Amino acid sequence: MSYGKRSGQYFKFIIYLVIVVLVNVAGITLFFRADLTANKIYSISDASKKVAATLSEPLTIKVFFTKDLPPPYNNTERYLHDLFEEYAIYGNKFFNYRFYNVSAEEGELSGKAQENQKIANNYGIHPIQIQVVDKDEVKFQKAYMGLVLIHGDLIEQVPAITSTEGLEYKLTTAIQKMNNKISALLSLSGKIKIKLFLSSSIETVAPHMGVRNLANIPAEIETVVKKLNQKNYNKLEFEFLNPDQAQDLAALSKKYNIMMLSWPALAKGKIAPGKGVIGLVMEYGENRLAVPLMQVVRLPIIGTQYKLAETAEMEENINSSVERLIDINEDIGYLADHGTLNLAGTPPGAPGRPPAEEPATNFRALVAQNYSLKNIKLKDENIPESLSCLIIARPREKFSDYELYQIDQFLMQGKSLALVLDRFNEMNPAGQQGMNLGQAPVFVPLDTGLEKLLSHYGIRIQQSFVMDENSYRQELPAQFGGGDRAIYFAPLIKDRFINDELDFMKNIKRLVALKISPLELDQERITRNSLKAHRLFASSEKSWQMRDRINLNPMFIKPPESSENMQSYPLAYILEGNFPSYFAGKPLPVREVKDEKEPEQKPEEQVSKSPSDTEIDLSQIERQGNFLPQGKPGKIFVMASADMLRDNVLDASGRGANATFILNTIDYLNGREDIAVMRAKVQRFNPVEETQAATKTFVKAANIAGLPVLAVIFGLGVWFRRHSRKKQIQMMFDR
């Protein structure tokens, strides 16, 4: 009996052991993870899965990471392991990764670790210095925290991974970029020509400019090109040109956008007067780019300095220029005339621009990471058919009917428009520096013609600015009393006024608006045309409008006395659907071209022309066809504040909420919502939800008096229970 019972226990133990082993085998072969975080930050996005699945050649990732790093760096390596495991599932045999041991063990560096460190250095991955807190002391430690991606002949480095934030987005976009670059390079019919223009005459004056070894520049650049050729499928071709002074150097400089130097007699006549050109140009087909080769710097006291680019800098510039030249990114149009926002920055006091205008270079740099911005001059050309989206930012000049017709028909083709318009033109008094001399700028209403297009599509921009009590607060210097003051024309957009129904907006918790005008929907027109209107964000319920005489001096802005004059105003919309053409049922406009070659007639020579028997009145010929009265499904983004694109609002890294919002919106307009969702999920700013005053009072009272009251009630309950039990026992013995 005892033997049978014991054998049954052994049998059960063996069965349980087999089950445990099988479960572990299944866990190894069947990958499964449950990401319980709200933003799914520990799982790769759909965009990453698609990019990994499209790999057609082996992609290898080599990771160089020092082990046993202190917090917060110790979790990064584990995060990379988990992330690459998921990439490998969807990349199948084409996705490979390896972690290299570069750490010293027991204070000594093994031969294998030394070899791995050399490999890392050859790839451009060098140790970085991190801060360590050990035994209440702040120390600094050098550590390897980088990786390199190798895809075909292409190599992409991520030299420093100090945080897991945005790492998936960085890796996925890098892989996608390499995929696009390989496809573009392999499809090239010819070679990319890299031309070095360097006049030998400059060598005589170069030592006096502080430029040494100028004669070695051609050999150095040729070496760089040979090195890059190995990574670009041998598609680069180097050519050295030595233009002499007999050539038209000014025309050469203008054609290729390269630097021309000219100098008088120097060193008491030892150096004869002369001139020459220096520059590096890359050409493929009709595309041409000038690569920076020499910089001119003016230093206080020292004066003008000339500096040649370092070899590493030249290599990086040439490599990035290859990507721009062959257009590895999707094209996106940007209207570059009609006084639109200058993305290259405007020098103070430039004609037609306000003094010291804040540039929008960050916007251009951030968009250029995933798109190729194509400047469109609507006055001289039509919008190319290849574009799927057109950005129009702060136009100041009026559009002709034909130009509006081009924009209208672009939308009718199922394309997208991103309209970031100003309702006012901010103008400073003539000859003054604006508020510096106590004169406030004047705000003149703008009427470019786009307003009537938008009104026809079902949205209007009101002629006012939105002020909000929930606004950015400016710290005042001590000489002005310290403290802070509200900048009412810079509303802070809080979470509950941001639309989280759209996936790419879900993790954006707060925005900052600036000099923004409210929008108004024509609900009847929207409904009649079956359009969808997504309100992206709005001001708070403590907002009001400033109309007519506008003065944005914070000292003179006061909220309305009554809250009845306050309400929430919509500030950004996306409309989508089949838009009706503004020109349906109207005469189609034509481009008006002035023939400058035709000589002007004198008054006595001018004869009134009227159709004769042999002449044809062309105005009587009607045109049909080549016109879309009803559009295919398209999208329009409207926001009435160009200041939202400036560098003081958009951070250069693109991690801020405002930058994420702008980039996500552009991705959404271009049908890349999956990329937008991936970018937005790294937004870690999660403010506590606001509560009403009554709720705050209740919580405070509960914390102060509630807990003691609960303790007393619990104590009374225990006392009554014991007292009741005592009575029951007494009654039992009394019987």
Side-chain angles (χ1 to χ4, degrees):
M1 186 80 177
S2 175
Y3 176 77
K5 184 177 181 180
R6 186 176 300 175
S7 62
Q9 290 177 347
Y10 287 149
F11 183 70
K12 286 182 180 179
F13 174 76
I14 293 172
I15 291 177
Y16 293 154
L17 183 62
V18 171
I19 291 174
V20 170
V21 172
L22 291 176
V23 168
N24 279 274
V25 171
I28 294 173
T29 56
L30 299 175
F31 180 82
F32 175 77
R33 289 176 61 200
D35 189 350
L36 303 181
T37 57
N39 299 340
K40 304 296 180 184
I41 58 176
Y42 295 107
S43 303
I44 64 174
S45 307
D46 292 338
S48 300
K49 296 174 184 177
K50 291 178 183 177
V51 169
T54 56
L55 290 174
S56 57
E57 291 187 24
L59 171 72
T60 302
I61 299 180
K62 297 183 178 182
V63 186
F64 304 93
F65 221 92
T66 302
K67 294 182 178 179
D68 301 325
L69 291 176
Y73 310 107
N74 53 350
N75 291 327
T76 306
E77 185 179 7
R78 180 68 260 172
Y79 175 80
L80 284 172
H81 274 285
D82 296 340
L83 193 65
F84 292 154
E85 282 181 9
E86 286 206 61
Y87 273 109
I89 292 174
Y90 300 97
N92 297 317
K93 63 179 180 180
F94 294 114
F95 187 91
N96 306 283
Y97 66 94
R98 178 183 174 185
F99 283 77
Y100 286 77
N101 179 23
V102 290
S103 306
E105 297 179 3
E106 298 181 358
E108 294 184 2
L109 200 63
S110 66
K112 189 63 176 177
Q114 286 183 348
E115 183 181 344
N116 291 338
Q117 287 189 4
K118 289 181 180 178
I119 295 173
N121 294 333
N122 290 336
Y123 281 123
I125 307 297
H126 303 285
I128 60 174
Q129 192 165 273
I130 60 173
Q131 183 174 299
V132 181
V133 179
D134 184 22
K135 297 180 181 180
D136 298 329
E137 293 182 1
V138 178
K139 301 179 181 179
F140 292 94
Q141 174 183 343
K142 286 188 175 181
Y144 284 89
M145 303 176 66
L147 60 84
V148 58
L149 297 93
I150 305 172
H151 190 28
D153 291 340
L154 302 183
I155 297 176
E156 196 79 29
Q157 298 99 347
V158 183
I161 307 174
T162 57
S163 171
T164 60
E165 185 175 348
L167 187 55
E168 182 200 348
Y169 173 77
K170 188 180 296 184
L171 289 172
T172 298
T173 51
I175 295 171
Q176 188 177 44
K177 190 176 182 180
M178 296 173 84
N179 256 338
N180 295 342
K181 189 173 182 179
I182 289 176
S183 300
L185 285 171
L186 293 178
S187 63
L188 294 181
S189 57
K191 291 194 174 184
I192 299 172
K193 296 181 180 180
I194 302 177
K195 298 180 179 180
L196 172 63
F197 294 90
L198 178 58
S199 300
S200 56
S201 57
I202 299 180
E203 294 180 14
T204 58
V205 74
H208 300 273
M209 298 165 56
V211 179
R212 306 293 178 183
N213 300 323
L214 190 66
N216 297 332
I217 290 296
E220 289 182 10
I221 296 181
E222 187 175 10
T223 303
V224 169
V225 173
K226 286 181 179 179
K227 181 180 178 182
L228 289 175
N229 239 337
Q230 300 174 4
K231 305 175 183 178
N232 289 276
Y233 295 90
N234 201 31
K235 293 291 184 178
L236 306 182
E237 183 181 274
F238 177 72
E239 183 181 2
F240 170 50
L241 301 171
N242 181 11
D244 57 30
Q245 300 189 39
Q247 295 180 248
D248 190 349
L249 298 183
L252 192 67
S253 172
K254 184 177 180 181
K255 178 181 178 181
Y256 290 102
N257 192 26
I258 57 177
M259 183 183 297
M260 186 181 77
L261 301 174
S262 58
W263 57 91
L266 301 174
K268 298 181 179 179
K270 294 181 180 179
I271 298 177
K275 56 184 178 179
V277 294
I278 178 172
L280 192 63
V281 177
M282 299 180 62
E283 285 184 321
Y284 178 74
E286 297 181 356
N287 297 331
R288 181 181 297 153
L289 283 175
V291 181
L293 185 60
M294 177 180 283
Q295 295 180 351
V296 183
V297 183
R298 288 182 175 84
L299 301 175
I301 302 175
I302 299 176
T304 303
Q305 296 284 311
Y306 293 87
K307 182 182 178 183
L308 282 172
E310 300 290 339
T311 303
E313 186 181 357
M314 284 191 291
E315 182 178 342
E316 183 179 350
N317 289 338
I318 293 173
N319 191 46
S320 60
S321 296
V322 169
E323 299 172 0
R324 292 173 55 195
L325 199 65
I326 61 178
D327 288 340
I328 65 172
N329 294 323
E330 182 180 349
D331 291 344
I332 188 170
Y334 182 80
L335 188 68
D337 56 11
H338 289 81
T340 54
L341 197 64
N342 186 0
L343 301 187
T346 306
R353 307 275 179 176
E357 184 181 36
E358 189 71 30
T361 53
N362 287 348
F363 171 73
R364 181 181 183 88
L366 292 172
V367 174
Q369 291 177 1
N370 295 306
Y371 299 94
S372 294
L373 276 171
K374 300 294 183 183
N375 288 338
I376 306 299
K377 295 186 177 181
L378 206 55
K379 294 181 179 180
D380 304 322
E381 60 182 326
N382 294 335
I383 305 174
E385 295 284 339
S386 59
L387 298 179
S388 59
C389 180
L390 177 65
I391 301 174
I392 303 178
R394 199 212 57 187
R396 286 179 170 171
E397 301 173 9
K398 198 171 184 64
F399 290 81
S400 67
D401 285 344
Y402 184 76
E403 292 163 351
L404 294 176
Y405 172 73
Q406 292 295 313
I407 297 172
D408 175 271
Q409 289 298 290
F410 179 79
L411 179 64
M412 295 304 109
Q413 296 175 45
K415 308 295 182 69
S416 299
L417 292 174
L419 305 179
V420 185
L421 311 177
D422 276 352
R423 195 66 181 90
F424 298 92
N425 187 8
E426 184 176 350
M427 302 176 64
N428 288 288
Q432 305 290 337
Q433 293 298 315
M435 297 177 65
N436 294 335
L437 295 178
Q439 296 194 21
V442 178
F443 293 88
V444 180
L446 276 171
D447 182 14
T448 63
L450 289 172
E451 294 79 12
K452 61 184 180 183
L453 279 188
L454 287 176
S455 180
H456 177 78
Y457 299 145
I459 188 168
R460 291 185 290 269
I461 304 175
Q462 299 189 42
Q463 195 170 300
S464 63
F465 281 131
V466 171
M467 306 288 120
D468 197 335
E469 283 194 3
N470 293 321
S471 60
Y472 173 79
R473 304 193 72 86
Q474 179 187 31
E475 293 186 10
L476 295 175
Q479 57 265 33
F480 292 100
D484 59 18
R485 70 179 170 197
I487 307 298
Y488 293 117
F489 55 84
L492 285 179
I493 314 299
K494 298 184 179 179
D495 186 17
R496 61 195 180 97
F497 296 102
I498 298 175
N499 183 4
D500 59 358
E501 294 180 0
L502 297 172
D503 289 340
F504 72 88
M505 296 287 294
K506 281 185 177 178
N507 297 316
I508 298 176
K509 305 298 182 182
R510 181 164 296 184
L511 295 169
V512 180
L514 185 62
K515 297 180 185 177
I516 194 166
S517 300
L519 305 177
E520 181 183 7
L521 286 182
D522 186 340
Q523 291 292 352
E524 181 182 351
R525 193 179 294 270
I526 294 288
T527 304
R528 184 170 66 247
N529 295 318
S530 301
L531 301 177
K532 290 182 181 179
H534 304 288
R535 190 185 71 174
L536 301 184
F537 64 87
S539 62
S540 75
E541 68 275 2
K542 296 182 179 180
S543 303
W544 71 98
Q545 296 186 62
M546 179 181 287
R547 297 179 177 273
D548 303 326
R549 298 182 62 184
I550 293 177
N551 188 344
L552 297 185
N553 189 329
M555 298 176 61
F556 301 110
I557 304 177
K558 293 183 179 180
E561 296 180 358
S562 173
S563 60
E564 295 179 357
N565 297 324
M566 295 183 176
Q567 68 178 73
S568 176
Y569 294 97
L571 302 178
Y573 272 107
I574 283 183
L575 304 182
E576 50 184 325
N578 300 78
F579 294 90
S581 173
Y582 174 79
F583 293 92
K586 301 177 182 177
L588 300 183
V590 295
R591 183 188 296 275
E592 296 182 3
V593 180
K594 183 179 180 181
D595 189 0
E596 298 179 354
K597 296 181 180 180
E598 183 178 351
E600 296 184 1
Q601 294 179 331
K602 297 179 180 180
E604 60 272 14
E605 296 177 349
Q606 293 180 355
V607 180
S608 60
K609 296 183 179 180
S610 59
S612 63
D613 294 338
T614 58
E615 293 178 337
I616 299 176
D617 187 359
L618 298 180
S619 64
Q620 295 181 0
I621 300 177
E622 296 182 359
R623 288 186 300 149
Q624 293 182 352
N626 198 26
F627 168 70
L628 298 174
Q630 185 74 27
K632 301 174 183 178
K635 299 173 185 175
I636 303 178
F637 166 68
V638 184
M639 181 175 67
S641 171
D643 286 85
M644 299 276 284
L645 304 183
R646 299 190 189 278
D647 290 355
N648 59 344
V649 178
L650 298 185
D651 61 300
S653 66
R655 294 184 179 181
N658 274 61
T660 300
F661 164 71
I662 294 295
L663 295 176
N664 283 2
T665 301
I666 292 175
D667 282 337
Y668 182 78
L669 294 177
N670 283 273
R672 301 177 63 181
E673 189 175 2
D674 53 351
I675 296 292
V677 172
M678 180 175 60
R679 184 191 296 108
K681 83 174 186 178
V682 304
Q683 290 292 309
R684 304 289 184 87
F685 178 67
N686 290 306
V688 178
E689 293 185 5
E690 293 187 3
T691 54
Q692 301 294 328
T695 306
K696 293 179 181 178
T697 304
F698 174 77
V699 172
K700 288 180 182 178
N703 286 328
I704 295 173
L707 293 178
V709 169
L710 287 175
V712 171
I713 293 174
F714 179 77
L716 289 174
V718 173
W719 182 83
F720 277 117
R721 184 181 178 187
R722 289 181 178 178
H723 184 70
S724 175
R725 187 166 176 264
K726 183 178 179 181
K727 279 188 174 183
Q728 289 178 358
I729 295 173
Q730 187 176 3
M731 289 176 64
M732 290 174 60
F733 284 101
D734 286 345
R735 293 176 183 175

